[in-house]
Amino acid sequence: MNQSDVTIIDYGVGNMLSVQRGLERSDATVTVTSDPEVLLNSRRVILPGVGAFSNAMDALQERGLIDAIQDIVNNNIPFLGICLGMQLLLDESEEFGITKGLGLIPGRVIPIPNLTQLGEMQKIPHIGWNALRPGNKTSWDSPIHKYTRLGEFVYFVHSFMAVPSSKDHLIADCDYGGHSIAATIGYKKVFGCQYHPEKSGRTGLNILRSFLYT
Amino acid sequence: MLARLDIKGPNLIKGIHLEGLRVIGSPNEYAKKYYQQGVDELLFIDTVASLYGRNHLGDIIQAAAKNIFIPITVGGGLRSIDDARDVLRSGADKVAINTAAVSNPGLITEISRCFGSQCMVLSVQAKFNDCNYKSFKKDLGKWEVFTDNGRESTGIDAIEWIKKGITLGAGEILVTSIDKEGTREGFDVDLMQAITNEVTVPVICSGGMGKAEDLITVVKEANVDAVAMADILHYERDTIDNIRALAKSSGIQVRNYEPE
């Protein structure tokens, strides 16, 4: 058994250092690895990620991590995807053609609409701080927002957005030009944050901390 | 609300019109202070790196990333995909490219393909092409692009260059007005307006913030997405808290800051 509180998947994609330091702020012990055996024996697992969806899926595939992630989730080990790592949780993405995702949360990844609700030009990527709103009636009961208050701000940077098939899986969203953008999603013990908790000041550090209690 | 930290060697410095640099102190101390005071993002620019073709920032960024949990953008002297990878590995989230992008525009595409366009900030130092001066260039638009921290003129039109940069893959534009930089006269609203009218990516405006009201003016009149502050914070002419409160009361969307 890997005794660390959290294991971060290293697949050459994403800023693992900041995520690690963010967790260590809550006195968590962290392992960073690409070894499927170590991952399968972890208490909790984080999948970071930046860049293109298909590159990330290829990188996971090359390292034999896709099956490992399925097994982790089947074994009920808490799992958190961050930014692109969150988008990978869904069934498929429209980024550069259709690419299959991990299929852990039903839904798809589509481009952020290029017009606002009022028909004005929308800036893309969506970069900056935005406030969290509840995604459904019970969302603030989710353990991932144990220390988060409604309306706290987190830092986003993305051009594509996740659309979970069921509103039950949308824990929090944010308003961008009148559109709802999925911010936190979750299904059983699988969670995803579109924003970067490791770059969202105290609010983000608290979200990482709450993952330590899942 | 960004804090901009211009670096020369191991020091935080500040100039006027990007010249006449004065030492302020230790970049890491200031970075930590601004983080704790609630700034939304940090911008480190190595002011002499592109002149000497080397970069001092690695150590500074590594130290900053240890205890700072907001986005960090790094620029100055980054010439290649490997330079970009190095600073991203040190803990930066985005790279700002000016000189190398002008001499090799393909670098913009390379970086955005490799790390994502959200990582690739096109840094543009623009100067007014004044028809009242001898240096006026008839064939050029209103603003000219400068490189090497404002030292080298390029004969390139700033607005056209920004449009091209976005086509090549830039995900964000950092615009520094050389005319306003360090003057405390307020931001270059005309320049920013001319840019935001043309582009669909976020624009960070830099250079000239003298007082909190300058931020309100440029956000309201030129619709910029973010504002870089340097001098006003370094010399404690105002606080992040005050500026945030004023922005909020003027109807500008700002983060509700939660102290750590």
Side-chain angles (χ1 to χ4, degrees):
Chain A
M1 182 75 187
N2 168 7
Q3 286 307 314
S4 295
D5 296 311
V6 190
T7 307
I8 300 176
I9 304 181
D10 177 6
Y11 61 119
V13 177
N15 184 351
M16 287 160 300
L17 200 65
S18 299
V19 177
Q20 178 176 353
R21 281 168 177 166
L23 290 159
E24 286 166 355
R25 262 298 159 101
S26 295
D27 297 323
T29 50
V30 179
T31 300
V32 178
T33 185
S34 57
D35 182 344
E37 276 305 306
V38 176
L39 287 164
L40 276 168
N41 288 301
S42 295
R43 289 167 149 172
R44 291 170 201 86
V45 174
I46 289 184
L47 177 66
V50 292
F53 192 99
S54 57
N55 288 353
M57 284 305 290
D58 290 347
L60 288 174
Q61 183 76 54
E62 277 163 26
R63 292 165 175 80
L65 290 168
I66 292 185
D67 292 340
I69 291 171
Q70 293 292 353
D71 291 341
I72 291 164
V73 170
N74 289 338
N75 290 348
N76 236 355
I77 297 169
F79 192 86
L80 173 65
I82 295 175
C83 196
L84 178 64
M86 176 250 220
Q87 297 184 354
L88 297 173
L89 302 175
L90 291 115
D91 294 320
E92 59 180 23
S93 167
E94 292 181 8
E95 189 177 346
F96 308 126
I98 304 285
T99 311
K100 212 166 159 280
L102 294 167
L104 301 172
I105 295 181
R108 51 193 301 156
V109 178
I110 61 168
I112 296 174
N114 57 11
L115 293 177
T116 67
Q117 221 32 297
L118 295 172
E120 288 165 350
M121 207 166 63
Q122 176 99 287
K123 294 207 174 172
I124 295 172
H126 170 216
I127 299 185
W129 296 79
N130 211 331
L132 292 170
R133 307 185 300 190
N136 62 53
K137 278 178 198 146
T138 58
S139 51
W140 241 252
D141 301 338
S142 168
I144 199 75
H145 285 315
K146 187 177 165 144
Y147 304 110
T148 320
R149 286 190 320 273
L150 206 65
E152 283 193 45
F153 279 67
V154 287
Y155 182 78
F156 290 85
V157 43
H158 62 126
S159 304
F160 284 73
M161 61 185 221
V163 183
S165 309
S166 165
K167 199 134 196 207
D168 295 343
H169 304 151
L170 183 68
I171 298 175
D173 75 345
C174 70
D175 173 345
Y176 191 55
H179 297 285
S180 160
I181 290 187
T184 314
I185 59 174
Y187 175 50
K188 294 183 180 168
K189 292 206 166 183
V190 180
F191 301 96
C193 305
Q194 178 62 69
Y195 46 86
H196 286 274
E198 77 281 12
K199 292 290 164 180
S200 298
R202 191 186 77 164
T203 300
L205 295 176
N206 277 342
I207 290 166
L208 290 176
R209 182 154 71 101
S210 65
F211 181 63
L212 296 170
Y213 294 95
T214 55
Chain B
M1 291 169 50
L2 286 81
R4 175 177 176 146
L5 300 147
D6 288 314
I7 311 290
K8 184 180 179 185
N11 293 319
L12 170 65
I13 53 100
K14 188 71 197 90
I16 298 175
H17 306 304
L18 297 173
E19 289 177 334
L21 310 176
R22 279 177 64 183
V23 173
I24 306 281
S26 145
N28 286 110
E29 270 171 39
Y30 279 80
K32 204 171 161 193
K33 182 171 101 176
Y34 297 151
Y35 169 63
Q36 285 165 348
Q37 290 175 352
V39 79
D40 298 324
E41 188 166 337
L42 290 173
L43 179 60
F44 289 95
I45 302 285
D46 192 330
T47 57
V48 292
S50 60
L51 188 64
Y52 300 117
R54 60 188 157 82
N55 196 291
H56 287 285
L57 278 174
D59 295 344
I60 294 170
I61 304 309
Q62 265 178 20
K66 260 185 200 154
N67 42 32
I68 289 176
F69 297 98
I70 51 171
I72 296 173
T73 301
V74 173
L78 306 177
R79 290 163 183 278
S80 64
I81 199 107
D82 289 331
D83 289 350
R85 187 177 287 116
D86 283 348
V87 294
L88 294 171
R89 280 221 180 114
S90 303
D93 302 285
K94 306 182 233 180
V95 291
I97 314 278
N98 171 21
T99 307
V102 170
S103 56
N104 170 24
L107 183 61
I108 300 174
T109 312
E110 268 186 78
I111 290 176
S112 72
R113 284 227 180 108
C114 193
F115 307 108
S117 67
Q118 81 291 332
C119 233
M120 172 58 230
V121 181
L122 180 64
S123 166
V124 178
Q125 292 163 352
K127 195 171 182 185
F128 188 52
N129 183 25
D130 196 333
C131 60
N132 297 321
Y133 282 97
K134 243 202 226 152
S135 60
F136 178 65
K137 294 170 185 164
K138 253 202 291 192
D139 313 333
L140 207 62
K142 274 177 92 174
W143 293 275
E144 182 181 4
V145 172
F146 278 66
T147 60
D148 296 276
N149 210 46
R151 285 178 291 262
E152 300 294 331
S153 75
T154 62
I156 297 171
D157 179 76
I159 311 292
E160 291 306 315
W161 169 234
I162 289 168
K163 288 202 284 198
K164 185 177 170 195
I166 293 167
T167 317
L168 291 171
E172 205 172 359
I173 313 291
L174 164 67
V175 187
T176 306
S177 159
I178 298 172
D179 304 293
K180 296 290 183 180
E181 206 279 332
T183 63
R184 306 180 183 176
E185 288 171 359
F187 294 103
D188 193 333
V189 176
D190 289 346
L191 168 64
M192 301 303 162
Q193 222 163 24
I195 294 166
T196 55
N197 278 343
E198 295 283 348
V199 307
T200 56
V201 302
V203 173
I204 306 163
C205 109
S206 181
M209 183 153 170
K211 53 189 187 306
E213 288 76 8
D214 294 338
L215 178 149
I216 317 288
T217 307
V218 76
V219 171
K220 293 221 154 167
E221 290 182 19
N223 200 22
V224 297
D225 301 270
V227 163
M229 307 179 286
D231 182 290
I232 189 165
L233 299 180
H234 301 340
Y235 294 109
E236 298 183 345
R237 289 186 293 107
D238 208 336
T239 66
I240 294 164
D241 249 2
N242 278 339
I243 300 167
R244 185 186 299 282
L246 186 72
K248 207 173 173 182
S249 69
S250 309
I252 295 170
Q253 196 203 16
V254 286
R255 164 166 80 122
N256 288 325
Y257 170 57
E258 313 277 335
E260 201 186 312

